[in-house]
Amino acid sequence: MIDIELKVLDPRLGDSIPLPEPATDGSAGMDLRAAVEAPLTLKPGESVLVPTGMAIHIGDPGWCALIVPRSGLGHKQGLVMGNLVGVIDADYQGPLMISAWNRGTAELTITPGDRIAQLLLVPVGRARLRVVDGFSPSRRGEGGFGSTGVN
Ligand SMILES: O=c1ccn([C@H]2C[C@H](O)[C@@H](COP(=O)(O)OP(=O)(O)OP(=O)(O)O)O2)c(=O)[nH]1
């Protein structure tokens, strides 16, 4: 497993705001906390960049990190990512920010320390470009977008 370092920038992390950590041994992601100074209310449809209080440097180009919604908040309260998925490049060394979007119909308030999204570490592949006449046949071929039906 890759070992990455998250630099704590906000002194409240690990003090008044707990350090992010996986919720269980089997958790794929680590919940990210909102390092805001004061409660922040998002109107329906509004999005805002929320600091996590941490900087990240993955280093190894074979990996990236993704910021994705937490299921409960996203499904029930409409708190999802304004960029749908946040992609964190291996060479990025800046502050880790969450684009928080209230896609719901009611106001949402984020209070300091709230776990509002999760961070996943994901292996990255690189495509090799080559001009070819075609592919060797596969069962699917060019079928997509519902070509296999529903039942
Ligand atoms: O939710 C996010 C998405 C991105 N980033 C940071 C890390 C990432 O490596 C950098 C650039 O992201 P991306 O490449 O998606 O942004 P861009 O709009 O294409 O900007 P750039 O021209 O800087 O690549 O911004 C975050 O902190 N949070």
Side-chain angles (χ1 to χ4, degrees):
M1 204 179 285
I2 188 180
D3 182 27
I4 63 147
E5 204 166 75
L6 290 166
K7 183 163 68 170
V8 175
L9 301 173
D10 189 320
R12 291 172 304 160
L13 256 69
D15 187 23
S16 60
I17 299 178
L19 283 171
E21 58 176 0
T24 66
D25 286 348
S27 293
M30 178 173 82
D31 288 347
L32 295 173
R33 294 183 180 269
V36 285
E37 295 290 336
L40 179 72
T41 298
L42 288 178
K43 294 190 181 71
E46 198 180 351
S47 60
V48 70
L49 271 185
V50 177
T52 62
M54 298 182 298
I56 187 169
H57 184 206
I58 298 171
D60 182 340
W63 292 81
C64 75
L66 301 180
I67 298 179
V68 294
R70 294 184 63 205
S71 310
L73 285 179
H75 180 68
K76 295 181 198 154
Q77 288 169 55
L79 181 57
V80 295
M81 278 53 270
N83 46 3
L84 303 186
V85 177
V87 178
I88 314 301
D89 302 290
D91 53 356
Y92 181 69
Q93 297 184 314
L96 195 55
M97 304 293 288
I98 299 168
S99 170
W101 172 32
N102 178 3
R103 64 156 188 86
T105 52
E107 282 192 348
L108 264 172
T109 298
I110 296 171
T111 54
D114 279 358
R115 291 179 288 133
I116 58 168
Q118 55 182 322
L119 183 78
L120 300 174
L121 280 167
V122 177
V124 171
R126 276 270 150 85
R128 190 169 33 82
L129 299 180
R130 191 159 66 91
V131 178
V132 293
D133 292 332
F135 297 121
S136 38
S138 72
R139 181 161 168 218
R140 172 179 287 278
E142 295 184 10
F145 297 93
S147 66
T148 61
V150 175
N151 294 321

